[in-house]
Structure formats: C-alpha cells, structure tokens
Amino acid sequence: MSPRAGARPALLAALLVALGSAACAHGSHAVYDQANPSMETPMSQAQATTTVEGDGVRLEASFDHAAGGPLRVRYRVHNTGSADLAVFDRGDRHAVLTGRHGAGEVGEPGFREDGQGGLELRHAARPLPQPAPTLPPTPLAARVAPGQSLEGHFSFSPLVGDQPRRLRWCLGVAPFNERQFRSPDGSGDVEVWQASFELSESQQLLCTPWFDAASGTFAAD
C-alpha cells in the first residue's frame, strides 16, 4: 500500500471527528437559545381579591386586569341573612328582549366617571327613565335563599378615551319581598324575576374598594 493510500483512512477519520464536533457545538447553541430568558415574552398581569360585608350579605370579588386588556371580574354573593335576597346583576328586561344578553345571564354593567381618573361600574336596579319608554328597562334580579350563594362574572373595556387609573364595582341587593317582584323566568341558567323600579331607591349597594390599575391592588379601607 502506498503512503498516499494509507493516509486516506486517517484523513477521513479526522474529517468525521471534526464534523461531529461541529454538530455537538451547534446542538449546544440551540439548547442555550431556548433557555435564554431574553427570548421569553413578558406578560404583565394584575389580580386582586376583596370581600365586602353588608346587611345580611357578603360579596367576594376578584379583579383580573392585564395591561391594555379588559377588566375581568368574578364574584360570589353569599346570603348570610334569614330571608331571601334579590341580587340585581342580571340586567334588565329591555336588554333581554333586544338580544343584548340572554335570559338569566349577567347583564352589562352601567358605568360613570368620577372626574378624577376613576371609573365606577355598577350592576343595580335603575329608576324608570323619564319620559317612560315604550319598552321599559325593568330590572331583573336573581333570588338567593338564606345560606345559599350566587356566582357570576363579566368583563369590561372602556369604549373610548384613556384607560381609567382606578376602578371599582358596585352591586345592588335587596330583601326579596314578593309584592315587589313578578313573572319569574327560568328559561336560562339562573331564574330571574322582574323587579319594581322603586327598588332603585331602597336597594343596598355593595361597593368594592378602588382598584388601582397600575399596581393591580385594591386600596386599603
């Protein structure tokens, strides 16, 4: 065998070793890129919970607000009293008949600005508008027995303008007096009753503390 022919196997072996080393180095680099924290997408999210005690009722609410996204609210209403409780979170009859939400579903919250960068959301019985419309927005309420609870959730995004710096949510409740309620509708997941407009003046409002959108926390009481 000539020296030139004998050198070919050695050259081939050296080439294979070099290729193997390059492949290992590339594989190590790929794993490093996947584990690099700078490749992860940052996500800013604020979550907070609060409890509001009222007369014969307790409200537990959770606010979930991602930067630039809607406010998501989950809540549970406990009837801690000895009589049935009406909870005004199911919208109004006009909204159901016009298809804005289904029967028994949580309605859209009303809202108002406080002039200082704050926004108050509200699920509550509202008074009859004047002049009275042909199809009045009759308040709808869920009925909660003593010792029982009602759960719900909704989301809210401001339609125009800047994002509010702080938010809070108020929920209207009242003792369930059968003389002030009529026409129960059990076609949805939750049975709802049409309520008297007079309850807009006598209902109890349970309001969360102000929620700071930047820090994702509720203000101290």
Side-chain angles (χ1 to χ4, degrees):
M1 179 181 297
S2 67
R4 184 175 180 180
R8 288 178 180 175
L11 180 61
L12 180 60
L15 181 60
L16 290 174
V17 170
L19 289 174
S21 299
C24 290
H26 180 74
S28 174
H29 181 69
V31 171
Y32 176 77
D33 282 348
Q34 291 173 0
N36 189 346
S38 65
M39 299 294 290
E40 298 177 359
T41 302
M43 181 177 294
S44 175
Q45 193 173 54
Q47 297 180 343
T49 59
T50 188
T51 300
V52 181
E53 295 283 353
D55 184 10
V57 60
R58 182 174 71 253
L59 171 64
E60 299 170 355
S62 172
F63 281 23
D64 185 348
H65 180 253
L71 173 70
R72 293 183 172 87
V73 178
R74 292 186 174 275
Y75 60 93
R76 181 181 293 112
V77 184
H78 300 271
N79 183 352
T80 60
S82 58
D84 286 1
L85 184 73
V87 180
F88 295 106
D89 64 342
R90 304 291 148 167
D92 61 68
R93 184 64 176 159
H94 180 274
V96 172
L97 293 178
T98 55
R100 287 166 54 191
H101 65 80
E105 295 180 356
V106 175
E108 299 175 356
F111 62 92
R112 63 180 181 181
E113 298 179 348
D114 69 350
Q116 300 177 355
L119 189 68
E120 180 184 283
L121 309 179
R122 180 175 291 196
H123 281 101
R126 290 180 287 183
L128 177 65
Q130 295 297 331
T134 303
L135 186 59
T138 305
L140 297 177
R143 184 176 185 174
V144 183
Q148 300 299 309
S149 61
L150 174 71
E151 295 185 356
H153 62 88
F154 67 93
S155 61
F156 178 83
S157 296
L159 300 179
V160 295
D162 298 331
Q163 293 286 324
R165 295 197 302 270
R166 59 179 191 156
L167 307 100
R168 73 173 182 176
W169 172 56
C170 296
L171 175 65
V173 300
F176 193 94
N177 184 333
E178 293 192 0
R179 292 177 299 176
Q180 295 177 301
F181 295 88
R182 59 185 174 85
S183 304
D185 181 357
S187 61
D189 293 337
V190 175
E191 183 180 68
V192 293
W193 296 67
Q194 297 182 39
S196 167
F197 284 103
E198 296 176 355
L199 288 166
S200 64
E201 300 179 1
S202 60
Q203 66 187 330
Q204 178 183 183
L205 284 178
L206 306 172
C207 295
T208 68
W210 285 103
F211 173 80
D212 184 84
S215 65
T217 59
F218 285 105
D221 293 337

